[in-house]
Amino acid sequence: MHIRIGPNRVGPFGLLQPAADAIKSFLKEDFTPAHVRKAYYWLAPAIVMIPSILVVGVIPFGSELGHQKMVIADLNVGILYTFGIVSLGVYGIVLAGYSANSKYPFLGGIRSSAQLISYEIAMGMSVVAVFLLVGELNLSKVVEYQAAAHSFLGWLVFKQPVAFVIFLVAMFAETNRTPFDLPEAEQELAGGYNVEYSSMKFALFFMGEYANLTAAAALMTTLFLGGWSLPFAGLDHPAATFSVGLLHIGIFLAKTVSVIFMVIWVRWMWPRFRYDQLMDLGWRRFIPLALANIVVTAAVLWAKRGHL
């Protein structure tokens, strides 16, 4: 799927390739070019990696295990925290482009900042419609709302298909994945903002990209795909036993991995957008569409509550 010739030969089914890549990253020479702005150059990879790790703390990855809720921090404003933290990741990419003191990385950093600002607005507006339905900003409550329907039709992907599509496309743009990988664009920018990096600092950018992808997939699972719930065999209720709690964690991980699989699959199916197409899609298509979806959702809810 990655169109790489070698990795399927490293261990059974190529499963040892990630370990080989990690060892290679640690052992390669950590070279700092003389012309870079060194303080920002060293700081940028860490800033890219940290936000995606912090986001995972508010995502409920199960119901209960024993009497312990399967979420690290069950915040009442979980989604606001999520978008606030995710928006910090762009600073690392911008710093990487600026600190390299080179044309291609600088262009990659500028592209990334414009791209993330554009699609973060669309992503945030798509989620507003979800919380109009649920009436809560707590991510655990969003999962419980979907689980209470006891049917796949209760999942918000079916109740808010427009919001789901906008969130999905914005997720590709936010994580710099094909067809929206313009900040890297090997054919145009020779790799973009991380051109001047090597060894473990380059690996932090690589890991940051996949950590962002994992966090975005987990958030999509929580918001639209029912989270840890599955509407049969009693798996849409909070865990009554330890084994059911483990099953809920497995369900959440399976859904998250499925979303990640789809994103990686798309990478080799679609060509890269031009930059003007990318910005046009965000500002002239998705933001107005997300705003219209909010208005329609609010009008329908207002009508259902007996105001018409």
Side-chain angles (χ1 to χ4, degrees), residues 190-299:
Y193 58 88
N194 55 30
V195 167
E196 303 288 354
Y197 285 88
S198 63
S199 186
M200 198 58 204
K201 289 197 288 294
F202 173 81
L204 278 173
F205 281 112
F206 189 78
M207 289 191 296
E209 179 179 327
Y210 279 90
N212 283 328
L213 172 58
T214 303
L219 190 58
M220 172 172 280
T221 298
T222 301
L223 291 174
F224 294 101
L225 302 178
W228 46 260
S229 67
L230 206 60
F232 57 81
L235 294 177
D236 49 2
H237 296 286
T241 63
F242 192 85
S243 58
V244 173
L246 288 177
L247 272 175
H248 284 163
I249 295 174
I251 290 166
F252 178 84
L253 291 177
K255 291 178 181 178
T256 302
V257 169
S258 298
V259 174
I260 294 171
F261 179 88
M262 180 270 298
V263 173
I264 294 173
W265 191 14
V266 166
R267 179 176 183 176
W268 297 113
M269 296 294 288
W270 287 0
R272 182 183 298 123
F273 278 47
R274 292 198 320 265
Y275 193 69
D276 62 307
Q277 293 173 329
L278 170 78
M279 301 305 289
D280 182 83
L281 184 66
W283 285 103
R284 299 182 62 185
R285 301 292 189 275
F286 280 161
I287 291 177
L289 185 60
L291 183 59
N293 188 49
I294 293 171
V295 172
V296 170
T297 302

Side-chain angles (χ1 to χ4, degrees), residues 24 62 67 120 135 144 149 158 187 204 278 305:
K24 181 180 72 172
H67 297 291
E120 196 165 310
E144 291 169 12
F158 299 109
Q187 294 86 343
L204 278 173
L278 170 78
R305 288 171 184 172

Side-chain angles (χ1 to χ4, degrees), residues 15 38-39 52 61 85 111 132 135 190 210 216-217 248 283:
L15 294 176
K38 290 184 174 56
S52 54
F61 54 90
I85 294 297
R111 281 186 173 190
L132 283 174
Y210 279 90
H248 284 163
W283 285 103

Side-chain angles (χ1 to χ4, degrees), residues 83 119-131 160 162-168 170 223-224 286 290-291 293-294:
F83 280 100
Y119 281 86
E120 196 165 310
I121 295 172
M123 179 182 277
M125 292 176 71
S126 71
V127 172
V128 170
V130 169
F131 291 106
Q160 282 290 331
V162 174
F164 173 77
V165 170
I166 294 172
F167 190 95
L168 177 63
L223 291 174
F224 294 101
F286 280 161
L291 183 59
N293 188 49
I294 293 171

Side-chain angles (χ1 to χ4, degrees), residues 39-55:
Y40 302 130
Y41 179 85
W42 280 79
L43 187 61
I47 295 178
V48 169
M49 184 68 185
I50 290 171
S52 54
I53 298 175
L54 293 176
V55 166

